[in-house]
Amino acid sequence: MNGLIRSKKLTCLKVKFTLAIMKGFWAIPQQIAKRKDLSLKAKLIAGVLWSMKNSNSEAFPSRGYLAEALGTSLTTIDRAVKELIAKAGLKVKRRGFGKSNCYSIPDWQESPEVINQEASKMTTLEVAKLKAHEPPKVMTIIDNSNKYNTKVDDKESSALDVIEYFRSKVKEVKGFEPEIDWGKDGSLTKKRLKKYSLREIKDLIDWYLNSKHFEKFGASLSVCLSAFMINLWKASKAGQKSIDAFYPTWRYKE
């Protein structure tokens, strides 16, 4: 008798829980919703499971409940669940006859596949922006006093050329690929290309990567292209041992 009462109470609790879920909303994780390799029905199932998970990231809806909730067949539910198992890391454990399955739900908010897709997409957009706003390209005319005057339009260099050269040289010389601030680095690169040729900027990058300043300031293209660093580069080209001529009241600390 006590077992029957306990069974009725559990059934009542399940009904109340189901009604509470049905009155609310199901949230599909954004990283799952953006997946192009998942079907729409798999994404809907993921949203239901995500919304029903407990503190242990487990959910226990029956196949019948999922089919009724989404207005589809058991075959469609099984196919969508298999898709989530194969592509999204979902784990399903059978609990025995008459009991619903246990769905172990991964942290879909941190899906590496989608994060990589988004990063690649953002990089492509930034490259497109740089190409759309390329400054005029210039040739270098150097006089006998080592002054750099770059006013001749040669239509050959671009901000993207500089950034790619910097990345490849850091990887070659220092053994790692640097992070690029596409907004800040790209803007400063375009500004420098209005005054210096691509060959001059490459020479500046080579000098910076092999100088003591790299050890202090790191693999930053913005630092490399700063007015301060350009003055140090020019001083080294002119054969000066110090920068007193540029900053008479300032001393570089080793």
Side-chain angles (χ1 to χ4, degrees):
M1 189 67 175
N2 290 335
L4 180 61
I5 294 175
R6 188 161 48 249
S7 178
K8 288 183 177 180
K9 287 183 177 180
L10 289 173
T11 302
C12 183
L13 287 173
K14 288 181 180 179
V15 170
K16 288 182 178 180
F17 176 74
T18 300
L19 291 175
I21 291 293
M22 293 181 69
K23 288 180 180 179
F25 298 90
W26 290 316
I28 301 177
Q30 188 179 52
Q31 305 299 351
I32 286 293
K34 292 182 178 180
R35 290 277 293 267
K36 294 182 179 180
D37 60 334
L38 291 177
S39 67
L40 181 59
K41 290 179 180 178
K43 293 177 182 180
L44 290 175
I45 293 293
V48 176
L49 296 176
W50 181 266
S51 302
M52 297 180 67
K53 70 175 183 174
N54 58 23
S55 59
N56 294 322
S57 294
E58 295 178 338
F60 303 88
S62 66
R63 294 167 61 246
Y65 169 76
L66 294 173
E68 183 179 356
L70 297 178
T72 188
S73 66
L74 291 175
T75 301
T76 300
I77 295 298
D78 292 340
R79 189 182 300 118
V81 168
K82 288 181 180 179
E83 190 176 349
L84 290 174
I85 293 173
K87 299 179 180 180
L90 179 67
K91 295 182 179 180
V92 180
K93 181 180 180 181
R94 300 187 183 280
R95 298 195 299 158
F97 181 76
K99 295 182 179 180
S100 60
N101 294 331
C102 172
Y103 298 88
S104 296
I105 304 161
D107 190 358
W108 283 326
Q109 287 182 325
E110 301 294 337
S111 172
E113 294 87 352
V114 176
I115 290 174
N116 290 336
Q117 290 175 10
E118 291 297 304
S120 177
K121 182 179 178 182
M122 289 301 297
T123 300
T124 302
L125 290 174
E126 293 293 350
V127 170
K129 288 179 181 178
L130 283 174
K131 287 185 176 180
H133 298 87
E134 289 179 355
K137 287 56 170 202
V138 292
M139 282 171 38
T140 305
I141 301 175
I142 306 177
D143 62 22
N144 293 330
S145 62
N146 288 326
K147 293 181 180 179
Y148 292 81
N149 302 294
T150 56
K151 302 297 183 182
V152 182
D153 190 0
D154 68 2
K155 306 293 183 185
E156 290 182 1
S157 56
S158 71
L160 184 58
D161 293 331
V162 173
I163 290 175
E164 288 303 320
Y165 183 78
F166 181 78
R167 293 173 69 175
S168 65
K169 291 301 291 186
V170 172
K171 189 172 183 178
E172 175 187 336
V173 177
K174 302 299 180 180
F176 67 93
E177 186 166 333
E179 293 294 329
I180 297 296
D181 185 334
W182 289 95
K184 183 178 179 181
D185 293 347
S187 177
L188 184 56
T189 299
K190 288 185 288 184
K191 182 178 179 180
R192 294 297 179 242
L193 280 169
K194 292 179 181 180
K195 186 175 181 181
Y196 300 96
S197 72
L198 179 61
R199 188 192 65 78
E200 290 173 338
I201 293 180
K202 285 183 176 181
D203 183 58
L204 167 62
I205 292 173
D206 291 342
W207 169 84
Y208 176 71
L209 294 181
N210 291 284
S211 71
K212 62 184 179 181
H213 312 300
F214 178 88
E215 302 303 325
K216 289 182 176 291
F217 300 109
S220 169
L221 182 56
S222 294
V223 170
C224 179
L225 297 179
S226 66
F228 167 69
M229 203 58 63
I230 289 176
N231 281 336
L232 292 177
W233 168 62
K234 286 184 176 180
S236 70
K237 298 291 284 185
Q240 297 180 18
K241 300 289 185 179
S242 68
I243 59 171
D244 293 349
F246 296 104
Y247 304 100
T249 61
W250 186 87
R251 296 293 182 273
Y252 188 84
K253 296 181 180 181
E254 295 291 344

PDB file of all heavy atoms in Angstrom, residues 34-53:
ATOM      1  N   LYS A  34      24.063  27.942 -33.867  1.00  0.00           N
ATOM      2  CA  LYS A  34      24.856  28.417 -35.005  1.00  0.00           C
ATOM      3  C   LYS A  34      25.550  27.293 -35.765  1.00  0.00           C
ATOM      4  O   LYS A  34      26.167  27.542 -36.794  1.00  0.00           O
ATOM      5  CB  LYS A  34      25.911  29.419 -34.524  1.00  0.00           C
ATOM      6  CG  LYS A  34      25.323  30.727 -34.033  1.00  0.00           C
ATOM      7  CD  LYS A  34      26.424  31.683 -33.610  1.00  0.00           C
ATOM      8  CE  LYS A  34      25.847  33.021 -33.161  1.00  0.00           C
ATOM      9  NZ  LYS A  34      26.927  33.956 -32.756  1.00  0.00           N
ATOM     10  N   ARG A  35      25.454  26.087 -35.246  1.00  0.00           N
ATOM     11  CA  ARG A  35      26.126  24.960 -35.906  1.00  0.00           C
ATOM     12  C   ARG A  35      25.481  24.679 -37.261  1.00  0.00           C
ATOM     13  O   ARG A  35      24.275  24.453 -37.369  1.00  0.00           O
ATOM     14  CB  ARG A  35      26.045  23.710 -35.022  1.00  0.00           C
ATOM     15  CG  ARG A  35      26.880  23.757 -33.769  1.00  0.00           C
ATOM     16  CD  ARG A  35      28.323  23.379 -34.050  1.00  0.00           C
ATOM     17  NE  ARG A  35      28.458  21.995 -34.438  1.00  0.00           N
ATOM     18  CZ  ARG A  35      28.716  21.000 -33.583  1.00  0.00           C
ATOM     19  NH1 ARG A  35      28.854  21.254 -32.291  1.00  0.00           N
ATOM     20  NH2 ARG A  35      28.852  19.769 -34.005  1.00  0.00           N
ATOM     21  N   LYS A  36      26.285  24.673 -38.306  1.00  0.00           N
ATOM     22  CA  LYS A  36      25.771  24.398 -39.640  1.00  0.00           C
ATOM     23  C   LYS A  36      25.741  22.901 -39.942  1.00  0.00           C
ATOM     24  O   LYS A  36      25.150  22.489 -40.947  1.00  0.00           O
ATOM     25  CB  LYS A  36      26.630  25.114 -40.684  1.00  0.00           C
ATOM     26  CG  LYS A  36      26.538  26.629 -40.586  1.00  0.00           C
ATOM     27  CD  LYS A  36      27.362  27.307 -41.676  1.00  0.00           C
ATOM     28  CE  LYS A  36      27.238  28.828 -41.577  1.00  0.00           C
ATOM     29  NZ  LYS A  36      28.034  29.504 -42.636  1.00  0.00           N
ATOM     30  N   ASP A  37      26.387  22.107 -39.099  1.00  0.00           N
ATOM     31  CA  ASP A  37      26.425  20.669 -39.342  1.00  0.00           C
ATOM     32  C   ASP A  37      25.348  19.917 -38.573  1.00  0.00           C
ATOM     33  O   ASP A  37      25.314  18.693 -38.591  1.00  0.00           O
ATOM     34  CB  ASP A  37      27.799  20.110 -38.979  1.00  0.00           C
ATOM     35  CG  ASP A  37      28.155  20.352 -37.510  1.00  0.00           C
ATOM     36  OD1 ASP A  37      27.632  21.322 -36.924  1.00  0.00           O
ATOM     37  OD2 ASP A  37      28.938  19.573 -36.955  1.00  0.00           O
ATOM     38  N   LEU A  38      24.463  20.650 -37.879  1.00  0.00           N
ATOM     39  CA  LEU A  38      23.372  20.024 -37.136  1.00  0.00           C
ATOM     40  C   LEU A  38      22.037  20.362 -37.789  1.00  0.00           C
ATOM     41  O   LEU A  38      21.834  21.487 -38.244  1.00  0.00           O
ATOM     42  CB  LEU A  38      23.359  20.505 -35.683  1.00  0.00           C
ATOM     43  CG  LEU A  38      24.517  20.057 -34.783  1.00  0.00           C
ATOM     44  CD1 LEU A  38      24.380  20.695 -33.410  1.00  0.00           C
ATOM     45  CD2 LEU A  38      24.570  18.544 -34.660  1.00  0.00           C
ATOM     46  N   SER A  39      21.124  19.393 -37.803  1.00  0.00           N
ATOM     47  CA  SER A  39      19.791  19.633 -38.355  1.00  0.00           C
ATOM     48  C   SER A  39      18.981  20.486 -37.395  1.00  0.00           C
ATOM     49  O   SER A  39      19.301  20.599 -36.205  1.00  0.00           O
ATOM     50  CB  SER A  39      19.080  18.307 -38.612  1.00  0.00           C
ATOM     51  OG  SER A  39      18.801  17.654 -37.371  1.00  0.00           O
ATOM     52  N   LEU A  40      17.913  21.074 -37.896  1.00  0.00           N
ATOM     53  CA  LEU A  40      17.055  21.921 -37.065  1.00  0.00           C
ATOM     54  C   LEU A  40      16.417  21.110 -35.937  1.00  0.00           C
ATOM     55  O   LEU A  40      16.320  21.596 -34.798  1.00  0.00           O
ATOM     56  CB  LEU A  40      15.964  22.557 -37.931  1.00  0.00           C
ATOM     57  CG  LEU A  40      14.996  23.505 -37.217  1.00  0.00           C
ATOM     58  CD1 LEU A  40      15.751  24.657 -36.571  1.00  0.00           C
ATOM     59  CD2 LEU A  40      13.956  24.036 -38.188  1.00  0.00           C
ATOM     60  N   LYS A  41      16.023  19.866 -36.212  1.00  0.00           N
ATOM     61  CA  LYS A  41      15.393  19.040 -35.185  1.00  0.00           C
ATOM     62  C   LYS A  41      16.381  18.661 -34.090  1.00  0.00           C
ATOM     63  O   LYS A  41      16.026  18.602 -32.910  1.00  0.00           O
ATOM     64  CB  LYS A  41      14.778  17.796 -35.815  1.00  0.00           C
ATOM     65  CG  LYS A  41      13.543  18.127 -36.658  1.00  0.00           C
ATOM     66  CD  LYS A  41      12.926  16.907 -37.301  1.00  0.00           C
ATOM     67  CE  LYS A  41      11.703  17.310 -38.120  1.00  0.00           C
ATOM     68  NZ  LYS A  41      11.086  16.158 -38.815  1.00  0.00           N
ATOM     69  N   ALA A  42      17.640  18.445 -34.469  1.00  0.00           N
ATOM     70  CA  ALA A  42      18.678  18.158 -33.463  1.00  0.00           C
ATOM     71  C   ALA A  42      18.873  19.370 -32.561  1.00  0.00           C
ATOM     72  O   ALA A  42      19.062  19.245 -31.347  1.00  0.00           O
ATOM     73  CB  ALA A  42      19.985  17.780 -34.147  1.00  0.00           C
ATOM     74  N   LYS A  43      18.817  20.559 -33.138  1.00  0.00           N
ATOM     75  CA  LYS A  43      18.970  21.782 -32.348  1.00  0.00           C
ATOM     76  C   LYS A  43      17.791  21.957 -31.387  1.00  0.00           C
ATOM     77  O   LYS A  43      17.969  22.398 -30.239  1.00  0.00           O
ATOM     78  CB  LYS A  43      19.077  22.994 -33.277  1.00  0.00           C
ATOM     79  CG  LYS A  43      20.345  23.000 -34.118  1.00  0.00           C
ATOM     80  CD  LYS A  43      20.375  24.190 -35.070  1.00  0.00           C
ATOM     81  CE  LYS A  43      21.626  24.162 -35.938  1.00  0.00           C
ATOM     82  NZ  LYS A  43      21.680  25.310 -36.873  1.00  0.00           N
ATOM     83  N   LEU A  44      16.576  21.598 -31.835  1.00  0.00           N
ATOM     84  CA  LEU A  44      15.402  21.695 -30.961  1.00  0.00           C
ATOM     85  C   LEU A  44      15.509  20.723 -29.793  1.00  0.00           C
ATOM     86  O   LEU A  44      15.204  21.073 -28.644  1.00  0.00           O
ATOM     87  CB  LEU A  44      14.129  21.426 -31.769  1.00  0.00           C
ATOM     88  CG  LEU A  44      13.732  22.494 -32.782  1.00  0.00           C
ATOM     89  CD1 LEU A  44      12.532  22.035 -33.601  1.00  0.00           C
ATOM     90  CD2 LEU A  44      13.400  23.813 -32.076  1.00  0.00           C
ATOM     91  N   ILE A  45      15.936  19.498 -30.073  1.00  0.00           N
ATOM     92  CA  ILE A  45      16.133  18.509 -29.015  1.00  0.00           C
ATOM     93  C   ILE A  45      17.184  19.009 -28.031  1.00  0.00           C
ATOM     94  O   ILE A  45      17.037  18.888 -26.805  1.00  0.00           O
ATOM     95  CB  ILE A  45      16.578  17.154 -29.598  1.00  0.00           C
ATOM     96  CG1 ILE A  45      15.452  16.524 -30.421  1.00  0.00           C
ATOM     97  CG2 ILE A  45      17.008  16.202 -28.487  1.00  0.00           C
ATOM     98  CD1 ILE A  45      14.258  16.112 -29.617  1.00  0.00           C
ATOM     99  N   ALA A  46      18.260  19.598 -28.547  1.00  0.00           N
ATOM    100  CA  ALA A  46      19.309  20.138 -27.679  1.00  0.00           C
ATOM    101  C   ALA A  46      18.744  21.225 -26.767  1.00  0.00           C
ATOM    102  O   ALA A  46      19.102  21.312 -25.587  1.00  0.00           O
ATOM    103  CB  ALA A  46      20.449  20.705 -28.529  1.00  0.00           C
ATOM    104  N   GLY A  47      17.857  22.064 -27.311  1.00  0.00           N
ATOM    105  CA  GLY A  47      17.242  23.116 -26.506  1.00  0.00           C
ATOM    106  C   GLY A  47      16.384  22.568 -25.391  1.00  0.00           C
ATOM    107  O   GLY A  47      16.410  23.073 -24.260  1.00  0.00           O
ATOM    108  N   VAL A  48      15.610  21.505 -25.680  1.00  0.00           N
ATOM    109  CA  VAL A  48      14.761  20.887 -24.656  1.00  0.00           C
ATOM    110  C   VAL A  48      15.626  20.276 -23.556  1.00  0.00           C
ATOM    111  O   VAL A  48      15.395  20.492 -22.356  1.00  0.00           O
ATOM    112  CB  VAL A  48      13.846  19.807 -25.277  1.00  0.00           C
ATOM    113  CG1 VAL A  48      13.050  19.100 -24.179  1.00  0.00           C
ATOM    114  CG2 VAL A  48      12.900  20.437 -26.287  1.00  0.00           C
ATOM    115  N   LEU A  49      16.644  19.518 -23.954  1.00  0.00           N
ATOM    116  CA  LEU A  49      17.520  18.870 -22.968  1.00  0.00           C
ATOM    117  C   LEU A  49      18.274  19.903 -22.144  1.00  0.00           C
ATOM    118  O   LEU A  49      18.423  19.751 -20.927  1.00  0.00           O
ATOM    119  CB  LEU A  49      18.506  17.945 -23.683  1.00  0.00           C
ATOM    120  CG  LEU A  49      17.893  16.742 -24.427  1.00  0.00           C
ATOM    121  CD1 LEU A  49      18.977  15.970 -25.170  1.00  0.00           C
ATOM    122  CD2 LEU A  49      17.164  15.829 -23.449  1.00  0.00           C
ATOM    123  N   TRP A  50      18.751  20.956 -22.799  1.00  0.00           N
ATOM    124  CA  TRP A  50      19.495  22.010 -22.090  1.00  0.00           C
ATOM    125  C   TRP A  50      18.607  22.687 -21.037  1.00  0.00           C
ATOM    126  O   TRP A  50      19.055  22.990 -19.935  1.00  0.00           O
ATOM    127  CB  TRP A  50      20.002  23.027 -23.103  1.00  0.00           C
ATOM    128  CG  TRP A  50      20.803  24.143 -22.505  1.00  0.00           C
ATOM    129  CD1 TRP A  50      20.358  25.370 -22.119  1.00  0.00           C
ATOM    130  CD2 TRP A  50      22.198  24.121 -22.200  1.00  0.00           C
ATOM    131  NE1 TRP A  50      21.378  26.119 -21.614  1.00  0.00           N
ATOM    132  CE2 TRP A  50      22.527  25.381 -21.643  1.00  0.00           C
ATOM    133  CE3 TRP A  50      23.205  23.171 -22.363  1.00  0.00           C
ATOM    134  CZ2 TRP A  50      23.811  25.703 -21.243  1.00  0.00           C
ATOM    135  CZ3 TRP A  50      24.482  23.504 -21.961  1.00  0.00           C
ATOM    136  CH2 TRP A  50      24.783  24.748 -21.408  1.00  0.00           C
ATOM    137  N   SER A  51      17.349  22.917 -21.390  1.00  0.00           N
ATOM    138  CA  SER A  51      16.425  23.593 -20.476  1.00  0.00           C
ATOM    139  C   SER A  51      15.997  22.706 -19.314  1.00  0.00           C
ATOM    140  O   SER A  51      15.610  23.206 -18.261  1.00  0.00           O
ATOM    141  CB  SER A  51      15.187  24.067 -21.245  1.00  0.00           C
ATOM    142  OG  SER A  51      15.549  24.933 -22.297  1.00  0.00           O
ATOM    143  N   MET A  52      16.061  21.382 -19.492  1.00  0.00           N
ATOM    144  CA  MET A  52      15.594  20.453 -18.466  1.00  0.00           C
ATOM    145  C   MET A  52      16.723  19.896 -17.600  1.00  0.00           C
ATOM    146  O   MET A  52      16.468  19.163 -16.653  1.00  0.00           O
ATOM    147  CB  MET A  52      14.849  19.289 -19.133  1.00  0.00           C
ATOM    148  CG  MET A  52      13.586  19.698 -19.875  1.00  0.00           C
ATOM    149  SD  MET A  52      12.749  18.280 -20.626  1.00  0.00           S
ATOM    150  CE  MET A  52      12.218  17.392 -19.158  1.00  0.00           C
ATOM    151  N   LYS A  53      17.975  20.245 -17.904  1.00  0.00           N
ATOM    152  CA  LYS A  53      19.096  19.636 -17.177  1.00  0.00           C
ATOM    153  C   LYS A  53      19.133  20.093 -15.725  1.00  0.00           C
ATOM    154  O   LYS A  53      18.723  21.214 -15.388  1.00  0.00           O
ATOM    155  CB  LYS A  53      20.416  19.966 -17.862  1.00  0.00           C
ATOM    156  CG  LYS A  53      20.833  21.415 -17.758  1.00  0.00           C
ATOM    157  CD  LYS A  53      22.216  21.633 -18.358  1.00  0.00           C
ATOM    158  CE  LYS A  53      22.652  23.088 -18.176  1.00  0.00           C
ATOM    159  NZ  LYS A  53      24.041  23.311 -18.614  1.00  0.00           N
TER     160      LYS A  53
END
